[in-house]
Amino acid sequence: MKKKIFTVAAFEMALVFWFLESAIHYFVFEESHFEFIPSESNELWMRVVIVFLILLLGIFADAFIRRIVHNQIKVAHVYNSLIQASNHTLDNLLGQMQLFKLEAQKCKEFDADVIRSYDAAIEHASELKDKLSNVDEALNGFKAVAEETKEYGD
């Protein structure tokens, strides 16, 4: 079942409005009897128009919220794809760096300090990749929440 929070709230407000309008006519304008459905056609027409406008506002609000949630889910999917592509690229680069390091260790002309600096760079890049993976996990948490609100869906 799709959640129509604003439509339901608008319906409730319209019902309250109708009752209050009847009560105002009875108590403030001192009409002879309480009329939930007014006998005067002009009064009935005005109430129907106002109730219709209140309901329309609720329906539009729900449609607007549904569109916002849908767009946020699309942005989350694009962002997740970007993070996954970045992780893949970083994995490839780290693999190539490891191969370069192995080849450098075979060569006796490489300075040991340079290789240690290179190891530090590889370590730092791995840590950054792990942080990027944590962002991906946080995004998956957001996607789970978005899936719960998918009841607003198309």
Side-chain angles (χ1 to χ4, degrees):
M1 180 176 160
K2 295 181 180 179
K3 290 183 179 180
K4 303 283 186 182
I5 296 170
F6 292 106
T7 303
V8 170
F11 178 77
E12 291 169 353
M13 287 189 325
L15 196 59
V16 167
F17 163 77
W18 193 286
F19 179 76
L20 283 176
E21 183 72 15
S22 297
I24 287 171
H25 278 271
Y26 181 71
F27 292 113
V28 175
F29 298 131
E30 298 176 352
E31 290 185 356
S32 59
H33 59 281
F34 186 86
E35 291 183 326
F36 189 70
I37 299 175
S39 57
E40 196 175 310
S41 62
N42 185 41
E43 184 64 30
L44 179 63
W45 177 83
M46 286 191 315
R47 285 190 200 181
V48 167
V49 167
I50 291 172
V51 164
F52 175 75
L53 291 174
I54 291 171
L55 290 174
L56 199 59
L57 179 64
I59 291 167
F60 281 143
D62 278 329
F64 186 70
I65 294 295
R66 190 172 36 253
R67 196 171 331 131
I68 287 172
V69 168
H70 179 71
N71 287 339
Q72 286 178 335
I73 290 171
K74 284 193 332 189
V75 167
H77 286 299
V78 169
Y79 186 71
N80 192 31
S81 297
L82 178 65
I83 294 227
Q84 288 175 356
S86 297
N87 275 339
H88 182 71
T89 301
L90 284 173
D91 279 339
N92 286 340
L93 288 174
L94 285 170
Q96 291 172 1
M97 288 173 76
Q98 290 290 350
L99 286 175
F100 180 81
K101 177 187 160 193
L102 290 174
E103 291 298 319
Q105 286 174 335
K106 290 179 188 175
C107 183
K108 298 189 184 337
E109 297 162 358
F110 260 86
D111 186 8
D113 289 336
V114 172
I115 291 179
R116 278 192 291 278
S117 296
Y118 198 71
D119 283 339
I122 291 174
E123 180 76 24
H124 184 67
S126 294
E127 289 171 5
L128 290 175
K129 184 194 157 296
D130 290 341
K131 286 181 182 177
L132 192 60
S133 294
N134 290 339
V135 170
D136 187 37
E137 290 170 12
L139 181 62
N140 287 335
F142 170 75
K143 285 172 59 178
V145 170
E147 291 299 319
E148 290 175 10
T149 61
K150 202 164 194 165
E151 294 173 352
Y152 270 108
D154 299 317

